[in-house]
Amino acid sequence: MRRRTMIKWAGAGTMLLGAGKMLPAYASSPGQQPLNRSGAALGVQLYTVRDSLQADVRGTLAAIAAIGYQEVELFGLGGEALDEKPLFGLTAKEFAAALEDVGLRAPMAHIQGNAMNIAEIAEVVQPVGVRQLVVPLAPEFVSFEGGQFRMIGVTGRSQLDAIAERLNRQGELAKASGMGFGYHNHQMEFADLGDQNAFDYLFSQADAELVKIELDIGWAVFAGVDPLAVLNRYAGRIIAVHLKDHARPRSPASSGESEPASIAAQLVEPGTGPTDFAPIVAALDETGVAHRFVEVDVSPDPINAITRGFGYLKAL
Protein backbone atom coordinates (compact mmCIF):
# COMPACT_ATOMS: atom_id res chain seq x y z
CA MET A 1 0.00 0.00 0.00
CA ARG A 2 1.07 3.58 -0.42
CA ARG A 3 2.53 5.27 2.65
CA ARG A 4 -0.20 7.92 2.58
CA THR A 5 -2.73 5.09 2.77
CA MET A 6 -0.95 3.59 5.76
CA ILE A 7 -1.21 6.75 7.84
CA LYS A 8 -4.51 8.29 6.74
CA TRP A 9 -6.42 6.97 9.77
CA ALA A 10 -3.86 8.30 12.27
CA GLY A 11 -5.44 10.27 15.12
CA ALA A 12 -4.42 13.85 15.73
CA GLY A 13 -1.76 14.25 18.36
CA THR A 14 -0.26 10.77 18.10
CA MET A 15 3.42 11.12 18.88
CA LEU A 16 6.26 9.56 16.93
CA LEU A 17 7.82 6.86 19.08
CA GLY A 18 11.22 5.27 18.96
CA ALA A 19 11.50 1.51 18.68
CA GLY A 20 14.61 1.46 20.81
CA LYS A 21 13.03 2.75 24.03
CA MET A 22 13.74 1.04 27.31
CA LEU A 23 11.00 -1.45 28.17
CA PRO A 24 9.59 -2.00 31.67
CA ALA A 25 11.04 -4.79 33.74
CA TYR A 26 8.33 -7.33 32.95
CA ALA A 27 9.14 -7.33 29.24
CA SER A 28 10.17 -10.81 28.21
CA SER A 29 12.20 -12.49 25.53
CA PRO A 30 10.84 -13.60 22.15
CA GLY A 31 9.23 -17.02 22.11
CA GLN A 32 7.62 -16.75 25.55
CA GLN A 33 4.79 -19.22 26.07
CA PRO A 34 1.23 -18.06 25.35
CA LEU A 35 -0.62 -16.48 28.27
CA ASN A 36 -3.73 -18.64 28.24
CA ARG A 37 -4.88 -22.20 28.63
CA SER A 38 -5.98 -22.65 25.03
CA GLY A 39 -2.58 -22.08 23.43
CA ALA A 40 -3.70 -18.97 21.55
CA ALA A 41 -1.03 -16.33 21.14
CA LEU A 42 -1.15 -12.67 22.07
CA GLY A 43 -0.50 -10.14 19.36
CA VAL A 44 -0.48 -6.43 18.56
CA GLN A 45 -2.59 -4.60 15.98
CA LEU A 46 0.14 -2.66 14.17
CA TYR A 47 -2.07 0.42 13.85
CA THR A 48 -1.03 1.02 17.46
CA VAL A 49 2.59 1.61 16.39
CA ARG A 50 1.90 3.13 12.98
CA ASP A 51 4.22 6.10 13.45
CA SER A 52 7.11 3.94 14.58
CA LEU A 53 6.63 1.65 11.59
CA GLN A 54 7.07 4.62 9.27
CA ALA A 55 10.42 5.36 10.89
CA ASP A 56 11.82 1.86 11.53
CA VAL A 57 9.90 -1.26 10.54
CA ARG A 58 12.41 -3.83 11.74
CA GLY A 59 13.15 -2.04 14.98
CA THR A 60 9.46 -1.74 15.78
CA LEU A 61 8.85 -5.44 15.15
CA ALA A 62 11.86 -6.28 17.31
CA ALA A 63 10.47 -4.15 20.15
CA ILE A 64 7.09 -5.93 19.92
CA ALA A 65 8.74 -9.34 19.99
CA ALA A 66 10.97 -8.34 22.92
CA ILE A 67 7.89 -7.64 25.03
CA GLY A 68 6.76 -11.24 24.48
CA TYR A 69 4.11 -10.89 21.80
CA GLN A 70 3.97 -13.61 19.17
CA GLU A 71 1.67 -12.16 16.51
CA VAL A 72 0.90 -8.91 14.73
CA GLU A 73 -2.08 -7.82 12.66
CA LEU A 74 -1.49 -5.72 9.54
CA PHE A 75 -3.63 -2.74 8.55
CA GLY A 76 -4.43 -0.42 5.67
CA LEU A 77 -4.29 -2.70 2.63
CA GLY A 78 -6.63 -1.12 0.21
CA GLY A 79 -8.65 -0.62 -2.87
CA GLU A 80 -5.98 0.85 -5.11
CA ALA A 81 -3.12 -0.72 -7.04
CA LEU A 82 -0.52 -1.92 -4.59
CA ASP A 83 3.01 -0.57 -4.70
CA GLU A 84 6.04 -2.79 -5.33
CA LYS A 85 6.81 -2.46 -1.61
CA PRO A 86 3.33 -2.45 -0.08
CA LEU A 87 4.13 -3.51 3.50
CA PHE A 88 5.46 -0.47 5.33
CA GLY A 89 7.93 0.15 2.52
CA LEU A 90 9.02 -3.49 2.31
CA THR A 91 8.26 -6.20 -0.21
CA ALA A 92 6.31 -9.22 0.99
CA LYS A 93 9.54 -11.23 1.01
CA GLU A 94 11.35 -8.57 3.03
CA PHE A 95 8.52 -8.20 5.51
CA ALA A 96 8.22 -11.98 5.95
CA ALA A 97 11.95 -12.11 6.68
CA ALA A 98 11.65 -9.26 9.18
CA LEU A 99 8.93 -11.16 11.02
CA GLU A 100 10.89 -14.40 10.98
CA ASP A 101 14.01 -12.67 12.28
CA VAL A 102 12.25 -11.71 15.51
CA GLY A 103 9.92 -14.71 15.83
CA LEU A 104 6.62 -13.01 14.99
CA ARG A 105 3.68 -14.21 12.88
CA ALA A 106 1.16 -12.10 10.94
CA PRO A 107 -1.99 -14.24 10.58
CA MET A 108 -4.45 -11.42 9.89
CA ALA A 109 -4.70 -8.12 8.03
CA HIS A 110 -7.15 -5.23 7.97
CA ILE A 111 -8.20 -4.02 4.54
CA GLN A 112 -10.05 -0.90 3.47
CA GLY A 113 -13.79 -1.14 3.79
CA ASN A 114 -14.60 -0.93 0.09
CA ALA A 115 -11.64 -2.96 -1.16
CA MET A 116 -12.56 -5.35 -3.95
CA ASN A 117 -9.05 -6.15 -5.15
CA ILE A 118 -9.07 -9.07 -2.74
CA ALA A 119 -7.14 -11.38 -5.04
CA GLU A 120 -4.35 -8.82 -5.38
CA ILE A 121 -4.23 -8.27 -1.63
CA ALA A 122 -4.17 -12.02 -1.01
CA GLU A 123 -1.29 -12.45 -3.44
CA VAL A 124 0.73 -9.95 -1.42
CA VAL A 125 -0.05 -11.12 2.11
CA GLN A 126 -0.26 -14.89 1.76
CA PRO A 127 3.55 -15.24 1.53
CA VAL A 128 3.75 -13.28 4.79
CA GLY A 129 1.48 -15.80 6.49
CA VAL A 130 -1.81 -13.89 6.50
CA ARG A 131 -4.82 -16.17 6.25
CA GLN A 132 -7.65 -13.85 7.37
CA LEU A 133 -8.66 -10.47 5.93
CA VAL A 134 -10.83 -8.14 8.01
CA VAL A 135 -12.73 -4.95 7.18
CA PRO A 136 -12.21 -2.64 10.18
CA LEU A 137 -14.91 -0.06 9.38
CA ALA A 138 -17.65 0.12 6.76
CA PRO A 139 -17.36 3.21 4.54
CA GLU A 140 -21.03 3.97 5.30
CA PHE A 141 -19.90 4.87 8.82
CA VAL A 142 -17.30 7.39 7.68
CA SER A 143 -17.65 11.01 6.64
CA PHE A 144 -14.93 13.27 5.19
CA GLU A 145 -17.01 16.44 4.92
CA GLY A 146 -14.83 19.53 4.83
CA GLY A 147 -11.76 17.32 4.98
CA GLN A 148 -12.66 16.28 8.54
CA PHE A 149 -12.81 12.56 9.30
CA ARG A 150 -15.83 11.65 11.39
CA MET A 151 -17.54 8.41 12.29
CA ILE A 152 -21.28 8.51 11.68
CA GLY A 153 -24.03 6.34 13.02
CA VAL A 154 -26.43 3.71 11.75
CA THR A 155 -29.25 5.19 9.66
CA GLY A 156 -31.39 2.08 9.39
CA ARG A 157 -31.70 -1.46 8.13
CA SER A 158 -31.31 -0.52 4.47
CA GLN A 159 -27.86 0.87 5.24
CA LEU A 160 -26.95 -2.33 7.08
CA ASP A 161 -28.33 -4.42 4.20
CA ALA A 162 -25.96 -2.65 1.79
CA ILE A 163 -23.03 -3.26 4.12
CA ALA A 164 -23.91 -6.93 4.52
CA GLU A 165 -24.25 -7.36 0.75
CA ARG A 166 -20.78 -5.94 0.17
CA LEU A 167 -19.28 -7.98 3.02
CA ASN A 168 -20.75 -11.14 1.51
CA ARG A 169 -19.19 -10.31 -1.85
CA GLN A 170 -15.84 -9.56 -0.23
CA GLY A 171 -16.11 -12.83 1.68
CA GLU A 172 -16.74 -14.69 -1.57
CA LEU A 173 -13.69 -13.09 -3.17
CA ALA A 174 -11.58 -13.92 -0.14
CA LYS A 175 -12.72 -17.54 -0.19
CA ALA A 176 -11.89 -17.79 -3.89
CA SER A 177 -8.39 -16.59 -3.04
CA GLY A 178 -7.97 -19.11 -0.23
CA MET A 179 -8.49 -16.57 2.54
CA GLY A 180 -10.88 -16.21 5.45
CA PHE A 181 -12.76 -12.95 5.92
CA GLY A 182 -14.37 -10.98 8.72
CA TYR A 183 -15.65 -7.63 10.01
CA HIS A 184 -14.43 -5.57 12.98
CA ASN A 185 -16.82 -3.42 15.01
CA HIS A 186 -16.69 0.07 16.43
CA GLN A 187 -19.41 1.49 18.67
CA MET A 188 -22.06 2.38 16.10
CA GLU A 189 -22.80 -1.25 15.22
CA PHE A 190 -24.48 -1.60 18.61
CA ALA A 191 -27.07 1.10 17.90
CA ASP A 192 -30.60 0.23 19.00
CA LEU A 193 -32.94 -0.66 16.14
CA GLY A 194 -35.92 -1.23 18.42
CA ASP A 195 -36.29 -4.98 18.48
CA GLN A 196 -32.54 -5.69 18.20
CA ASN A 197 -29.25 -3.88 17.86
CA ALA A 198 -27.50 -3.15 14.59
CA PHE A 199 -24.69 -5.63 15.32
CA ASP A 200 -27.12 -8.55 15.55
CA TYR A 201 -29.02 -7.41 12.47
CA LEU A 202 -25.86 -6.93 10.39
CA PHE A 203 -24.52 -10.36 11.20
CA SER A 204 -27.90 -11.97 10.60
CA GLN A 205 -27.76 -10.57 7.06
CA ALA A 206 -24.09 -11.39 6.47
CA ASP A 207 -23.39 -15.01 5.53
CA ALA A 208 -22.05 -16.77 8.63
CA GLU A 209 -19.82 -18.98 6.50
CA LEU A 210 -18.27 -16.07 4.59
CA VAL A 211 -18.20 -13.24 7.14
CA LYS A 212 -16.68 -13.92 10.55
CA ILE A 213 -16.29 -11.49 13.45
CA GLU A 214 -13.35 -9.70 14.98
CA LEU A 215 -14.80 -8.31 18.21
CA ASP A 216 -13.28 -5.09 19.52
CA ILE A 217 -13.73 -5.24 23.29
CA GLY A 218 -12.99 -1.55 23.90
CA TRP A 219 -15.50 -0.24 21.38
CA ALA A 220 -18.13 -2.66 22.71
CA VAL A 221 -17.54 -1.41 26.26
CA PHE A 222 -17.78 2.18 25.04
CA ALA A 223 -21.14 1.36 23.46
CA GLY A 224 -22.38 0.02 26.80
CA VAL A 225 -22.41 -3.60 25.65
CA ASP A 226 -21.30 -6.59 27.72
CA PRO A 227 -18.49 -8.18 25.67
CA LEU A 228 -19.00 -11.50 27.45
CA ALA A 229 -22.57 -11.67 26.14
CA VAL A 230 -21.35 -11.04 22.60
CA LEU A 231 -18.57 -13.62 22.93
CA ASN A 232 -21.04 -16.25 24.08
CA ARG A 233 -23.75 -15.35 21.55
CA TYR A 234 -21.34 -15.59 18.63
CA ALA A 235 -19.18 -18.45 19.86
CA GLY A 236 -17.62 -20.15 16.86
CA ARG A 237 -18.03 -17.14 14.59
CA ILE A 238 -15.64 -14.82 16.43
CA ILE A 239 -12.18 -15.51 15.05
CA ALA A 240 -10.26 -12.72 16.79
CA VAL A 241 -10.58 -9.92 19.32
CA HIS A 242 -9.01 -6.55 19.97
CA LEU A 243 -8.11 -6.31 23.62
CA LYS A 244 -8.53 -2.77 24.87
CA ASP A 245 -10.69 -0.91 27.36
CA HIS A 246 -12.69 2.31 27.62
CA ALA A 247 -11.30 4.43 30.44
CA ARG A 248 -14.06 7.00 31.02
CA PRO A 249 -17.78 6.86 31.71
CA ARG A 250 -19.44 6.53 28.32
CA SER A 251 -21.83 8.96 26.76
CA PRO A 252 -24.62 7.60 24.52
CA ALA A 253 -22.71 7.78 21.24
CA SER A 254 -23.52 4.46 19.64
CA SER A 255 -25.58 6.43 17.15
CA GLY A 256 -25.01 9.84 15.62
CA GLU A 257 -21.74 11.50 14.68
CA SER A 258 -18.63 11.29 16.82
CA GLU A 259 -15.16 12.71 16.76
CA PRO A 260 -12.84 9.70 16.50
CA ALA A 261 -9.75 11.35 17.97
CA SER A 262 -11.48 12.35 21.21
CA ILE A 263 -13.14 8.96 21.64
CA ALA A 264 -10.05 6.99 20.65
CA ALA A 265 -8.05 8.82 23.32
CA GLN A 266 -10.36 7.19 25.88
CA LEU A 267 -9.51 3.71 24.60
CA VAL A 268 -6.64 2.25 26.58
CA GLU A 269 -4.67 -0.93 27.02
CA PRO A 270 -6.09 -3.77 29.16
CA GLY A 271 -5.51 -3.17 32.86
CA THR A 272 -5.78 0.61 32.60
CA GLY A 273 -9.58 0.93 32.40
CA PRO A 274 -12.35 -0.48 34.61
CA THR A 275 -12.99 -3.75 32.75
CA ASP A 276 -11.96 -7.01 34.38
CA PHE A 277 -10.37 -9.02 31.58
CA ALA A 278 -10.04 -12.28 33.54
CA PRO A 279 -13.53 -13.55 32.63
CA ILE A 280 -13.08 -12.26 29.09
CA VAL A 281 -9.86 -14.23 28.64
CA ALA A 282 -11.57 -17.28 30.15
CA ALA A 283 -14.41 -16.91 27.64
CA LEU A 284 -11.91 -16.57 24.80
CA ASP A 285 -10.33 -19.83 25.93
CA GLU A 286 -13.68 -21.58 26.27
CA THR A 287 -14.95 -20.45 22.86
CA GLY A 288 -11.65 -21.06 21.08
CA VAL A 289 -10.84 -17.56 19.86
CA ALA A 290 -7.41 -18.05 18.31
CA HIS A 291 -6.14 -14.50 17.79
CA ARG A 292 -6.00 -11.78 20.45
CA PHE A 293 -4.54 -8.42 19.53
CA VAL A 294 -3.80 -5.65 21.99
CA GLU A 295 -4.60 -2.30 20.37
CA VAL A 296 -4.31 1.27 21.61
CA ASP A 297 -5.75 3.63 19.03
CA VAL A 298 -4.11 6.81 20.35
CA SER A 299 -1.21 6.88 22.81
CA PRO A 300 1.71 9.23 23.50
CA ASP A 301 3.88 6.15 24.09
CA PRO A 302 2.51 3.10 22.25
CA ILE A 303 5.40 0.74 23.05
CA ASN A 304 5.02 1.30 26.77
CA ALA A 305 1.24 1.01 26.42
CA ILE A 306 1.41 -2.42 24.79
CA THR A 307 4.05 -3.45 27.31
CA ARG A 308 1.73 -2.55 30.19
CA GLY A 309 -1.10 -4.41 28.47
CA PHE A 310 1.06 -7.48 28.08
CA GLY A 311 2.08 -7.35 31.74
CA TYR A 312 -1.52 -7.11 32.90
CA LEU A 313 -2.67 -10.00 30.71
CA LYS A 314 0.31 -12.09 31.76
CA ALA A 315 -0.64 -11.68 35.41
CA LEU A 316 -4.24 -12.89 34.97
Side-chain angles (χ1 to χ4, degrees), residues 288-309:
V289 177
H291 304 292
R292 307 159 188 203
F293 300 104
V294 172
E295 182 184 40
V296 185
D297 297 60
V298 176
S299 172
D301 193 346
I303 290 292
N304 275 316
I306 62 174
T307 304
R308 289 190 298 269

Side-chain angles (χ1 to χ4, degrees), residues 128-141:
V128 176
V130 173
R131 294 297 179 263
Q132 300 280 348
L133 302 176
V134 175
V135 165
L137 181 62
E140 287 83 354
F141 297 143

Side-chain angles (χ1 to χ4, degrees), residues 84-150:
E84 291 183 2
K85 294 187 175 183
L87 298 170
F88 312 101
L90 301 181
T91 65
K93 182 177 181 180
E94 290 168 340
F95 191 78
L99 291 173
E100 184 176 3
D101 286 345
V102 296
L104 290 173
R105 301 185 297 270
M108 300 182 66
H110 279 191
I111 65 174
Q112 291 181 29
N114 59 358
M116 287 296 175
N117 58 335
I118 303 296
E120 184 183 16
I121 293 171
E123 187 176 352
V124 169
V125 299
Q126 282 174 330
V128 176
V130 173
R131 294 297 179 263
Q132 300 280 348
L133 302 176
V134 175
V135 165
L137 181 62
E140 287 83 354
F141 297 143
V142 175
S143 168
F144 285 101
E145 293 183 10
Q148 178 68 38
F149 170 51
R150 298 182 69 84

Side-chain angles (χ1 to χ4, degrees), residues 249-265:
R250 67 177 290 274
S251 57
S254 58
S255 62
E257 292 199 7
S258 57
E259 188 68 46
S262 61
I263 297 174

Side-chain angles (χ1 to χ4, degrees), residues 150-172:
R150 298 182 69 84
M151 293 190 291
I152 58 179
V154 171
T155 59
R157 285 179 169 81
S158 61
Q159 177 199 51
L160 298 171
D161 288 339
I163 294 171
E165 182 178 357
R166 186 179 57 254
L167 291 175
N168 286 337
R169 178 57 180 153
Q170 290 171 312
E172 290 173 347

